[in-house]
């Protein structure tokens, strides 16, 4: 199942969730939100934030780093 994290979760805790669950990304926001405010944060996004901002990035909310809006395609769409 997809993993979600609240937008106010600290980056350090988001990273811990990724490592503990052995996954590489988290959806950020409320899974019931239909207004397009759910984003995604990947390992790469979080590592780049730490490289850019240093250790201070670990205390930022993961919602500040998440990519929005998500772009989706229907399950039956031909993608190549």
């Amino acid at each position: 199942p997809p993993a979600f994290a609240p937008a106010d979760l600290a980056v350090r805790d988001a990273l811990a969730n990724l490592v503990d669950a052995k996954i590489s990304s988290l959806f950020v926001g409320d899974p019931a939100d239909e207004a397009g405010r759910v984003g995604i944060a990947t390992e790469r996004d979080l590592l780049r934030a730490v490289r850019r901002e240093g250790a201070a990035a670990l205390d930022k909310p993961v919602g500040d780093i998440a990519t929005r809006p998500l772009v989706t395609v229907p399950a039956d769409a031909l993608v190549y």
Side-chain angles (χ1 to χ4, degrees):
F4 278 83
D8 61 351
L9 185 70
V11 166
R12 74 175 64 251
D13 297 324
L15 284 168
N17 289 351
L18 292 176
V19 171
D20 293 346
K22 298 179 182 170
I23 56 177
S24 60
S25 62
L26 290 168
F27 290 107
V28 177
D30 181 353
D33 185 349
E34 296 181 17
R37 291 181 292 248
V38 173
I40 190 168
T42 66
E43 286 176 323
R44 177 176 267 181
D45 296 332
L46 302 179
L47 288 171
R48 286 181 176 174
V50 171
R51 173 67 178 124
R52 189 174 51 247
E53 301 173 30
L58 297 172
D59 296 320
K60 289 183 76 165
V62 70
D64 288 359
I65 294 167
T67 300
R68 290 183 184 87
L70 291 179
V71 178
T72 61
V73 296
D76 61 348
L78 176 61
V79 179
Y80 60 94

